[in-house]
Amino acid sequence: MMFQPEIEAMPRPQLEELQLHRLQSTIERLRSRVPAMASRLEGIPAPQSLDDLVNFPLLHKADLRDSYPFGLFAEPRENIRRIHASSGTTGKPTVVGYTEADLGMWADCIARNLIGAGCEPGWMLHNAYGYGLFTGGLGLHTGAERAGISVVPVSGGNTDRQIMLIEDFAPQAICCTPSFALTLAERLGAEARNSSLRVGILGAEPWTSAMRDEIEERLNIVAVNLYGLSEVIGPGVSCETARRDGLVFAEDHFYPEIVHPDTGERLPDGEVGVLVLTSLTKEAFPVLRYWTGDLCSLTHEPDADGRTHARMSAIVGRADDMLIIRGVNVYPSQVEDTLLEIPNVSPHFQLVVSRTGTLDEMQVRLEGEGIDPSAVAAKLKSSLGVTVLVTVEPAGTVPRSEGGKLNRVNDVR
Ligand code: DLL
């Protein structure tokens, strides 16, 4: 089923005409309302075709940081109806804003995702994405309401209580991270397959098809992959349908490109590279060629139900080194910054990321004289927002760079 069939199955020539028109307005909006962008775009002629987008510079997370908090907003502060934020490499979060129209557009995108995933108006959605500055909770919330679905705004945490609510309220759908879906399956045990749940809308962190198989088998649900990022809107940039045949973009709102990770050159369909996204309708915080750092490939073939918007593969990795630990973005450089503030900690450290059962675990192996591991762990917990295990190793045992690029991260998940 489609929530907005006239848009989701719009003939491509018509869609591309709409995209070009919206792209031109977005660039005009940036030039006339965002001084920092006007100077970046100076002298670049207005695009006459979608291919002309390659003439525009890529926008990186660091550019957002330079304009913290509201410097890239294209609307006066009073017109902003909502603020969200995501954690970044430094102590300051990346801040994003939405006008009323932006919130309406976002709700439409999520409603398309939910209906496409097989949810029906009148169903109930157990929403276990975090509420607050994170875009997951409120993003799914308003989109589900738009689709005519009852929302249980549970947010994250307290697994036992979540299980009680699922048993008592009998929701047909759940949204949460894939790792949390596995935790639920594990806690529910033999009962997991008999719950009321039929559809899971899972995302916010990378997951493999093996993990999908396990989730679907253990919970007896159809599990679709939902992708998005705060800088672009939040969840709802792309999502699989019940067919699980690629994540369909809301291409009338977000224009995807795949570029080579080193050269930035645009790559053809089927080739894996970095996903670069341009917002086409956002008012408060338009982004032009935003470098997501996420690696995937695209196809522009229509899907089996007639959706004409481009689809992406699941994310296969990241061009940079961000780690996602239980849904929280962690950069090795954040760990480094925190460790280096502690006296006597040697700069040689290693991060070991593993998965025990269904939960991500991060161990920080470090060296240094007279270090109290629990004090370091507490400091890391407050700066990163995740619990880590700290171990102090004998001097000289943590791997050193041997001239090449030192990989501080040993991800064994
Ligand atoms: O994670 C938005 C979201 C919420 C998506 C709920 C899906 C569901 P951020 O916190 O800004 O936003 O993190 C964005 O998370 O660049 C990817 O690296 C990663 N990510 C998000 N969804 C997926 C996914 C939200 N389905 C960053 N597969 C992105 C792989 C994902 N990685």
Side-chain angles (χ1 to χ4, degrees):
M1 284 293 292
M2 294 185 212
F3 180 66
Q4 294 176 308
E6 69 294 351
I7 299 172
E8 295 176 67
M10 185 183 278
R12 268 212 83 84
Q14 197 185 331
L15 175 63
E16 288 174 10
E17 196 179 314
L18 182 71
Q19 288 177 314
L20 177 60
H21 177 72
R22 290 178 169 181
L23 174 66
Q24 289 164 338
S25 316
T26 296
I27 291 173
E28 199 35 52
R29 167 172 279 268
L30 287 168
R31 285 199 215 269
S32 60
R33 294 171 176 240
V34 187
M37 287 303 293
S39 55
R40 283 171 68 102
L41 305 183
E42 209 177 301
I44 307 174
Q48 299 307 311
S49 79
L50 290 166
D51 289 337
D52 289 346
L53 194 51
V54 300
N55 300 329
F56 289 83
L58 295 166
L59 183 69
H60 288 91
K61 197 170 178 111
D63 300 314
L64 273 44
R65 212 158 45 225
D66 293 344
S67 304
Y68 176 84
F70 306 140
L72 293 180
F73 285 10
E75 284 287 332
R77 226 281 308 128
E78 318 78 83
N79 294 350
I80 306 292
R81 287 291 161 277
R82 191 166 334 138
I83 301 278
H84 280 287
S86 76
S87 58
T89 41
T90 63
K92 299 284 191 193
T94 303
V95 180
V96 298
Y98 307 75
T99 63
E100 198 168 325
D102 293 336
L103 292 171
M105 174 273 276
W106 190 13
D108 280 341
C109 293
I110 296 287
R112 287 183 203 170
N113 300 158
L114 293 170
I115 299 299
C119 300
E120 294 172 19
W123 275 24
M124 185 187 286
L125 173 71
H126 182 97
N127 184 3
Y129 285 123
Y131 280 67
L133 286 173
F134 178 56
T135 52
L138 283 164
L140 269 288
H141 186 108
T142 51
E145 289 179 343
R146 169 77 45 114
I149 290 167
S150 324
V151 191
V152 188
V154 195
S155 197
N158 203 340
T159 310
D160 289 333
R161 189 157 162 276
Q162 300 223 14
I163 286 173
M164 178 188 78
L165 294 175
I166 291 170
E167 284 170 352
D168 294 350
F169 294 1
Q172 293 88 348
I174 183 166
C175 53
C176 60
T177 58
S179 52
F180 187 68
L182 275 179
T183 301
L184 281 178
E186 205 163 64
R187 292 280 191 91
L188 282 163
E191 276 309 296
R193 286 189 61 81
N194 303 324
S195 87
S196 55
L197 295 173
R198 290 192 235 165
V199 174
I201 303 95
L202 315 182
E205 65 187 16
W207 51 313
T208 57
S209 60
M211 192 156 163
R212 186 217 303 274
D213 292 346
E214 191 168 339
I215 291 169
E216 292 195 332
E217 167 63 25
R218 292 172 74 167
L219 283 171
N220 194 18
I221 60 172
V222 168
V224 305
N225 194 351
L226 170 65
Y227 171 82
L229 63 169
S230 331
E231 294 86 337
V232 172
I233 192 88
V237 171
S238 66
C239 186
E240 287 174 328
T241 69
R243 289 186 187 273
R244 288 150 288 168
D245 186 20
L247 291 79
V248 188
F249 284 95
E251 223 196 324
D252 51 328
H253 298 299
F254 311 107
Y255 185 81
E257 299 171 83
I258 297 292
V259 305
H260 191 283
D262 301 325
T263 63
E265 199 184 324
R266 206 190 256 193
L267 295 175
D269 275 12
E271 283 191 31
V272 173
V274 175
L275 177 65
V276 166
L277 290 165
T278 296
S279 70
L280 298 173
T281 53
K282 261 169 68 177
E283 293 181 341
F285 184 50
V287 286
L288 188 65
R289 304 200 82 206
Y290 185 71
W291 170 276
T292 65
D294 295 317
L295 298 167
C296 63
S297 64
L298 291 188
T299 171
H300 286 81
E301 289 298 312
D303 80 358
D305 298 311
R307 286 180 187 80
T308 51
H309 297 214
R311 285 172 288 152
M312 64 181 225
S313 68
I315 302 296
V316 298
R318 287 201 45 92
D320 59 25
D321 53 6
M322 185 178 85
L323 294 167
I324 303 184
I325 311 290
R326 287 174 233 152
V328 179
N329 302 351
V330 175
Y331 290 84
S333 56
Q334 276 176 296
V335 178
E336 183 166 12
D337 288 346
T338 307
L339 290 181
L340 293 181
E341 284 169 13
I342 306 170
N344 297 334
V345 170
S346 120
H348 303 290
F349 70 92
Q350 189 190 32
L351 306 183
V352 182
V353 184
S354 58
R355 187 168 278 149
T356 303
T358 60
L359 273 190
D360 296 331
E361 279 182 348
M362 186 163 87
Q363 180 190 2
V364 179
R365 304 178 63 223
L366 47 81
E367 296 176 15
E369 292 278 315
I371 309 280
D372 172 9
S374 57
V376 177
K379 234 177 138 106
L380 286 168
K381 162 98 196 181
S382 82
S383 67
L384 307 177
V386 289
T387 304
V388 299
L389 171 70
V390 174
T391 55
V392 181
E393 310 289 342
T397 55
V398 173
R400 271 47 173 178
S401 168
E402 286 166 316
K405 210 166 131 65
L406 177 65
N407 189 5
R408 293 193 181 285
V409 182
N410 183 12
D411 196 336
V412 295
R413 282 179 292 185

